[in-house]
Amino acid sequence: MSSGKINVSVENIFPLIKKFLYNDHEIFLRELISNATDATLKLKHLTSIGEASVEYGNPKIEVKIDKEGKKIHIIDQGLGMSAEEVEKYINQIAFSGAEEFLEKYKDSAKDSGVIGHFGLGFYSAFMVASKVELITKTYKDEPAAHWTCDGSPEFNLVPHDKTERGTEIILHIAEDSLEFLEESKIRELLTKYNKFMPIPIKFGTRKEKIEQKKGEFVDSENKDEIFTEVEVDNIINNPNPAWTKQPADLTEEDYKNFYRELYPMQFDEPLFNIHLNVDYPFNLTGILYFPKLSADIQMQKDKIQMYQNQVFVTDNVEGIVPEFLTMLKGVIDSPDIPLNVSRSGLQADSNVKKISNYITRKVADKLKALFTENREDFEKKWNDIKIVLEYGMLSEPKFYEKAGAFTLYPTTDDKYFTLEELKEATKDTQTDKDGKLVVLYASNKEAQHSYIEIAKEKGYKVILLDSPIVSHLIQKLEADNENLTFARVDADHIDKLIQKEENQISKLSEEETTSLKNILETLVPKEKYAVQMEAMDSNAAPFMITQPEFMRRMKEMSQSGGGGMFGMGNMPEMYNLVVNTNSELASSILSSNNDESKATLVKQALDLAKLSQGLLKGEELTSFVKRSFETLK
């Protein structure tokens, strides 16, 4: 028997452990089960290489709650320890590890964003316990030992009569941590941190019906006679999750089942998955799923989960997974991600950078393969995945390089083109007089319907780009593609958007055009509309409202963050009022001798133009409807 003092250089470390990450006491269970798992896996290794001449068997870890006695028991069937080893590992190594860990993090723990607290290990037990007992029997032929410590630096170490190998830790739960005696709380923690641990974890028992042996009851109508109820161990984890297996051993259904296991509350099926499996130059496994995403990125509740050797660490994977892929779901597991670091340290780590680059490359390769193998299916899924890919093209140069091969640009008629295919399909019709290829796009098929129709009548293709980051993306594409420009279909009159050599001749003389412009400028609000006189086809709309591409794009870029000119997001909306000088309406306004009828014509035409752009609202819309009904009387 021995007793003594743990060598304490931080005066009484236990209150510090108690205080450490005060809201994170729950990690004690993860740490202790991780230790039990290590002890079991080490024994497996020793028996496999013939260094331990014991039967490995089918060991499990058991967690038991004794609510009346205010105790939690954690029992494993692993290596176990001798008294000498307890002295060495618990009183010296584990303690100095905890001490070093706390020294390093005690001042910054609350705000450093430490992503994993591995390393605190055994002594995390004192976060919730006022006394800890450890009863352990080594797999070697030596007596069991019983270590006790009550949260002061004193410990007690005596022999014990335990005969089965392994370790039992008994936590005497402190008065301020009694919530951990609730079965629901422990189940929640086991599910959160230990759901995929490699050793089965038993937490209580459950009833299960099993079919009785065939015989006298085989023809019985009574189901209770065919099945009998037995009590079995309640194993709360899946020790062999899908990501630990080889892709060749998994079916599509296995991947879908694993997704349901990860996210039981998700009802949408994932679109496809990407299995990560690399062991050089770093170790990384995992499965990422593309979920259905809408254009407005919703707050994500089911995130990618990060594990280290099947132990859950965090679902805040920022810095490890490239930012644009944090919208995916799934699991990554790597022992090579340093855990005891702050976020900034994580981002500077070279291994983490390599892992992030690998994930980017793997996702790009998978998308390319899906596109090549079944383009039709890829096109069907495009609208559900495009937002991720567009973000990726903007934020990850390595992804951008590969994305040209599978990024699609759908037309308003639901035909899909890659950028190269689109250039080829439009070069003959949509190249302007200066040799620039103009890609026409709409951001809202309904709102811009009349403009789309005008473009289609000319034989032009209009693509649909409706993501919130379109203005940023087209800016990048224009910079990287010489003689290519994007123009929203309502940015100007179509003949101005794609200027050809021939010009329409105006019916009005220069003098008449100037006179008409002066009339309009007195009637149309200057602060909102710039009047622009254009000679167009006589059948084209007499008044058309457009919004200059450059101004609108800069404003959108300011509003969606990054890029754009300083403060442009707050600029008032400015529009052009394009007036067709060849329309009958232009001639009618000009020839009218009555100022009131001129004003009525302009007001009605302006309101109709606003209506076609969705700009007629509130009081203006009410008076327009009233006025329109008046004319019908």
Side-chain angles (χ1 to χ4, degrees), residues 285-516:
T285 52
I287 300 170
L288 295 178
Y289 292 92
F290 262 81
K292 281 191 174 185
L293 291 168
S294 59
D296 55 320
I297 317 238
Q298 303 124 330
M299 274 305 295
Q300 202 164 345
K301 55 184 194 320
D302 295 324
K303 299 180 181 170
I304 293 173
Q305 299 172 10
M306 190 177 103
Y307 288 74
Q308 190 172 66
N309 296 323
Q310 294 175 236
V311 184
F312 174 77
V313 182
T314 182
D315 60 7
N316 187 353
V317 294
E318 178 195 334
I320 300 156
V321 171
E323 191 188 351
F324 78 103
L325 293 175
T326 53
M327 291 177 263
L328 303 190
K329 293 180 169 41
V331 164
I332 53 169
D333 186 331
S334 175
D336 293 327
I337 294 170
L339 295 173
N340 299 333
V341 288
S342 66
R343 294 255 159 232
S344 54
L346 187 70
Q347 279 150 356
D349 184 88
S350 67
N351 244 352
V352 172
K353 275 211 165 35
K354 281 180 200 155
I355 286 173
S356 180
N357 288 341
Y358 167 78
I359 293 172
T360 299
R361 195 179 76 241
K362 190 80 180 170
V363 169
D365 291 347
K366 174 75 175 189
L367 290 164
K368 174 82 195 304
L370 287 165
F371 174 76
T372 311
E373 286 158 20
N374 189 343
R375 177 161 177 166
E376 195 183 335
D377 186 55
F378 191 80
E379 288 177 359
K380 278 184 196 149
K381 291 172 176 169
W382 177 252
N383 283 326
D384 293 313
I385 63 170
K386 65 182 177 192
I387 194 84
V388 177
L389 274 59
E390 288 167 355
Y391 266 98
M393 287 168 76
L394 281 175
S395 58
E396 288 286 326
K398 282 190 167 63
F399 184 76
Y400 179 75
E401 282 166 29
K402 289 176 172 263
F406 51 77
T407 299
L408 292 174
Y409 300 87
T411 67
T412 50
D413 297 329
D414 299 321
K415 302 239 178 341
Y416 290 81
F417 296 89
T418 64
L419 190 59
E420 287 310 310
E421 290 167 350
L422 187 66
K423 285 184 191 172
E424 192 55 38
T426 55
K427 68 176 187 209
D428 293 339
T429 48
Q430 290 176 221
T431 302
D432 69 11
K433 62 185 173 61
D434 301 321
K436 263 210 162 175
L437 177 60
V438 182
V439 174
L440 297 173
Y441 72 98
S443 57
N444 184 320
K445 220 154 69 165
E446 297 298 311
Q448 290 147 16
H449 183 268
S450 60
Y451 298 86
I452 295 166
E453 288 306 303
I454 292 166
K456 279 160 66 176
E457 279 165 23
K458 291 265 184 188
Y460 298 154
K461 289 189 182 345
V462 181
I463 61 169
L464 184 63
L465 296 176
D466 55 4
S467 303
I469 52 165
V470 158
S471 38
H472 294 273
L473 186 63
I474 59 184
Q475 202 79 352
K476 188 168 178 56
L477 291 169
E478 284 174 342
D480 293 339
N481 288 273
E482 212 182 340
N483 280 335
L484 179 77
T485 184
F486 283 77
R488 202 167 85 175
V489 73
D490 59 350
D492 208 332
H493 171 54
I494 194 71
D495 292 339
K496 279 279 192 181
L497 290 177
I498 304 178
Q499 280 193 301
K500 303 287 186 179
E501 291 298 346
E502 69 278 359
N503 277 327
Q504 281 272 1
I505 296 162
S506 178
K507 282 184 192 171
L508 303 183
S509 66
E510 216 170 299
E511 206 178 306
E512 286 172 321
T513 303
T514 307
S515 173
L516 178 60

Side-chain angles (χ1 to χ4, degrees), residues 212-213 216-218 220-228:
Q212 293 193 58
K213 286 195 170 58
E216 59 188 291
F217 299 121
V218 83
S220 171
E221 290 293 310
N222 188 345
K223 281 207 166 77
D224 291 340
E225 288 178 0
I226 300 173
F227 292 93
T228 182

Side-chain angles (χ1 to χ4, degrees), residues 98-162:
E99 189 178 20
E100 184 190 330
F101 186 80
L102 283 167
E103 258 306 281
K104 197 167 174 185
Y105 294 112
K106 68 175 198 277
D107 298 326
S108 61
K110 288 192 191 77
D111 55 13
S112 70
V114 176
I115 66 165
H117 319 296
F118 284 75
L120 195 52
F122 174 74
Y123 279 93
S124 62
F126 287 97
M127 285 178 159
V128 297
S130 54
K131 180 168 102 173
V132 176
E133 293 179 72
L134 183 136
I135 302 164
T136 183
K137 162 91 173 75
T138 174
Y139 70 97
K140 298 170 192 162
D141 190 18
E142 290 184 43
H146 185 180
W147 177 93
T148 315
C149 179
D150 65 0
S152 69
E154 276 91 25
F155 69 87
N156 208 11
L157 183 59
V158 295
H160 193 271
D161 57 8
K162 177 176 168 71

